[in-house]
Amino acid sequence: MNAFKVFFVDDDPAIRLSMQQMLELEDIDVQCFAAGEVLFDHMDASFNGMVITDFNMPSPNGLEILERIQQIDVNIPVVLITGHGDISMAVEAMRNGAYDFIEKPYETEPLLEVIYRAAEKRLLTLENRDLKSQLKFNSRPGPRVLGHSKAMKQVFSVLDAIVDTSADVLLHGETGCGKDLIARWLHEASSRKGHNYVAINCGAVPENLIESELFGHEAGAFTGADKKRIGKFEHADGGTVFLDEIESMPLNLQVKLLRVLEERKVERLGSNKPINLDIRIITATKTNLKELSDQGNFRADLYYRLNIVKVDIPPLKDRIHDVPLLFQHFVLIAAARYDREIIHPPEARISALLKHDWPGNVRELRNLAERYVLMGESAFDQLADPFEQELQSRNTLAETMDQYEAHLITAALRDHQGSIKDTMVALGLARKTLYEKMKKYGLDKNDYKSES
């Protein structure tokens, strides 16, 4: 029950204290409120819990609290505590969506029974919602963006909200964390997938050529311009332009980019004729553009224009529980590419993956998977010594134990192709316990099923 929350609302401090002590003795995470107005500031549609509220209180009363909570999420269980004279009103409230009601004076056991039932219902609702979201996200065409960590779920939530819009996007993250993959996914999963996806690295193109690359030129626009050239923006009309390392774009070109962003028009070098564009622009950076703009090294107006929709992509070390899943995915791809047999590495090698800091992020992990497919276990020798990393680790004992437990469950799911029954037997866990731990670590059995 530690993962489940109970919010209790009552204007009587003695009753709040009594309820808090009773539920804490049952190891239930409880938070008490004197009024509903304070309660609403602590809730959203992802609230992992239920609400118990007294019926007769100064506004908002129990019924008004129920109505407000249903506006947040109709599936949040709300239990009313009522006096004898309020029974008819409580029954009416249940018709309006209340989960249950308990008559005063209430006993501990019936109350706990209601809480446990409500907890099971709420957790199942959230789990189904998350599974549907994952299915919707990964059933789209194009490359797969994998991960079950909390950090990646936040990324998925943002991407899913904007994928079918025309909004420009700024991707921020360390080198190798997958900015290019996400940019490609946004294109392939959108209605623009039938048009061109044009990627350009602003730091890799010489400064004297980047303007021509982006905007194109007319014949004779400059020395060597023998014929007309269509620029990247124009070539991507109807599709997507991905500008990586946007911080490397020269300041004089940032003005022109700002104009393209605002007007959706481009002029080729040597021409005064504007060309209308229907494009989505995705930019990416590994630096803090706000700091660069404060230093005068990046235009502030361009920064604020790019920062409308920003997606912060976590480094791999901040989503370490995703490593086994990603490694397996990259091994499958490499094995198919090189026509090699898939041989799963020993558990000690997977443990080394979980202890590595991954300074190169997902790109480093992908390269390791390819080397493993080609070279076998010797590929792991290039990782730092696991014991040395463990000594340098700042993880607490609880974090280390969680990491190891997640690793064992991941390995068992992989070895048994996602079979819950076989994984239960292998780990000696009850079904409910296994499901609770899988939820805790963001593990999905479907990610380990054989695709053959």
Side-chain angles (χ1 to χ4, degrees):
M1 291 293 294
N2 285 329
F4 186 78
K5 298 180 182 296
V6 173
F7 284 176
F8 177 66
V9 189
D10 198 299
D11 56 346
D12 188 326
I15 294 179
R16 292 199 303 273
L17 179 60
S18 174
M19 178 67 77
Q20 181 170 346
Q21 292 175 340
M22 179 178 69
L23 297 186
E24 286 179 346
L25 286 173
E26 297 294 328
D27 199 25
I28 294 175
D29 187 355
V30 58
Q31 188 170 352
C32 297
F33 301 88
E37 288 296 343
V38 184
L39 166 77
F40 305 131
D41 294 334
H42 294 74
M43 299 181 66
D44 58 27
S46 64
F47 174 59
N48 185 24
M50 64 176 294
V51 175
I52 303 174
T53 178
D54 189 29
F55 193 86
N56 276 322
M57 289 189 301
S59 184
N61 61 31
L63 188 58
E64 291 168 334
I65 289 175
L66 170 64
E67 292 173 351
R68 288 280 297 275
I69 291 175
Q70 287 191 318
Q71 292 173 9
I72 297 172
D73 183 354
V74 70
N75 292 312
I76 295 176
V78 178
V79 175
L80 301 173
I81 295 181
T82 66
H84 180 72
D86 302 323
I87 296 299
S88 60
M89 297 180 66
V91 171
E92 182 64 25
M94 289 190 64
R95 291 174 182 165
N96 293 334
Y99 179 76
D100 207 339
F101 71 90
I102 297 175
E103 187 178 359
K104 296 179 181 177
Y106 51 82
E107 297 181 359
T108 301
E109 288 304 318
L111 175 62
L112 290 176
E113 182 180 345
V114 171
I115 289 175
Y116 288 127
R117 282 194 286 108
E120 185 175 1
K121 178 179 183 294
R122 181 59 179 168
L123 292 175
L124 184 60
T125 296
L126 292 175
E127 182 178 355
N128 288 339
R129 187 179 297 171
D130 182 55
L131 289 174
K132 288 178 181 178
S133 176
Q134 285 285 331
L135 180 61
K136 177 183 177 183
F137 191 88
N138 283 315
S139 64
R140 295 178 185 270
R144 294 188 69 191
V145 183
L146 298 175
H148 292 294
S149 61
K150 182 178 180 180
M152 283 307 294
K153 286 180 180 179
Q154 292 174 345
V155 171
F156 295 154
S157 177
V158 175
L159 295 179
D160 198 45
I162 63 174
V163 63
D164 287 323
T165 72
S166 59
D168 297 329
V169 183
L170 172 62
L171 305 176
H172 175 261
E174 296 179 2
T175 299
C177 68
K179 298 186 293 292
D180 51 347
L181 175 68
I182 289 178
R184 169 67 75 171
W185 183 89
L186 279 169
H187 174 76
E188 295 291 345
S190 73
S191 58
R192 296 180 178 274
K193 63 178 181 290
H195 299 276
N196 289 331
Y197 171 83
V198 179
I200 185 167
N201 188 314
C202 299
V205 182
E207 186 172 340
N208 62 328
L209 295 179
I210 190 170
E211 186 171 7
S212 174
E213 282 288 315
L214 293 178
F215 304 107
H217 62 254
E218 298 288 351
F222 52 85
T223 302
D226 299 328
K227 57 183 179 180
K228 180 176 71 174
R229 175 182 174 84
I230 301 297
K232 299 293 187 183
F233 287 127
E234 192 175 347
H235 182 61
D237 190 29
T240 304
V241 174
F242 174 49
L243 299 176
D244 198 5
E245 296 188 21
I246 187 65
E247 71 278 4
S248 301
M249 178 171 284
L251 285 170
N252 64 310
L253 285 186
Q254 292 179 24
V255 180
K256 294 190 175 184
L257 174 60
L258 181 61
R259 182 182 177 187
V260 172
L261 285 165
E262 292 180 341
E263 300 180 2
R264 286 311 196 257
K265 293 180 180 180
V266 68
E267 291 181 8
R268 301 186 195 125
L269 295 178
S271 172
N272 294 320
K273 181 182 178 182
I275 300 170
N276 292 324
L277 297 175
D278 173 21
I279 57 173
R280 182 185 213 174
I281 298 179
I282 302 175
T283 52
T285 182
K286 60 180 179 293
T287 62
N288 187 321
L289 293 184
K290 180 62 168 62
E291 290 183 359
L292 287 182
S293 68
D294 291 342
Q295 297 164 4
N297 296 321
F298 196 85
R299 289 187 62 94
D301 49 3
L302 178 57
Y303 163 71
Y304 288 113
R305 182 60 179 79
L306 293 174
N307 200 39
I308 295 176
V309 178
K310 181 183 178 186
V311 181
D312 289 305
I313 306 171
L316 192 54
K317 64 183 179 182
D318 289 348
R319 45 180 297 216
I320 198 68
H321 292 313
D322 289 336
V323 166
L325 172 63
L326 291 170
F327 184 76
Q328 178 191 31
H329 176 67
F330 293 139
V331 164
L332 290 173
I333 293 175
R337 178 186 302 164
Y338 300 119
D339 194 24
R340 293 291 184 92
E341 181 183 0
I342 300 173
I343 301 176
H344 294 298
E347 297 308 317
R349 297 300 192 180
I350 300 297
S351 295
L353 298 183
L354 292 170
K355 294 172 183 174
H356 189 53
D357 286 338
W358 300 108
N361 290 299
V362 177
R363 184 179 296 147
E364 181 185 0
L365 179 63
R366 182 188 63 201
N367 291 343
L368 175 64
E370 290 201 13
R371 289 198 301 272
Y372 170 69
V373 169
L374 293 171
M375 302 166 52
E377 285 191 53
S378 62
F380 290 91
D381 295 340
Q382 297 183 36
L383 290 177
D385 179 69
F387 181 70
E388 179 182 347
Q389 288 187 21
E390 189 170 0
L391 289 177
Q392 296 174 350
S393 173
R394 296 183 181 181
N395 286 354
T396 64
L397 176 61
E399 290 171 338
T400 302
M401 294 298 292
D402 282 349
Q403 190 178 88
Y404 186 62
E405 185 176 61
H407 158 61
L408 291 178
I409 297 173
T410 298
L413 286 167
R414 185 183 65 244
D415 292 344
H416 299 289
Q417 290 77 50
S419 168
I420 294 297
K421 181 178 179 181
D422 293 341
T423 301
M424 288 165 46
V425 173
L427 297 175
L429 294 176
R431 182 180 296 270
K432 181 179 179 182
T433 302
L434 176 59
Y435 273 121
E436 288 175 348
K437 292 183 180 296
M438 287 173 62
K439 181 174 180 60
K440 176 180 179 181
Y441 300 120
L443 302 176
D444 184 348
K445 63 181 181 181
N446 294 316
D447 290 324
Y448 302 93
K449 290 183 177 179
S450 173
E451 298 182 0
S452 60

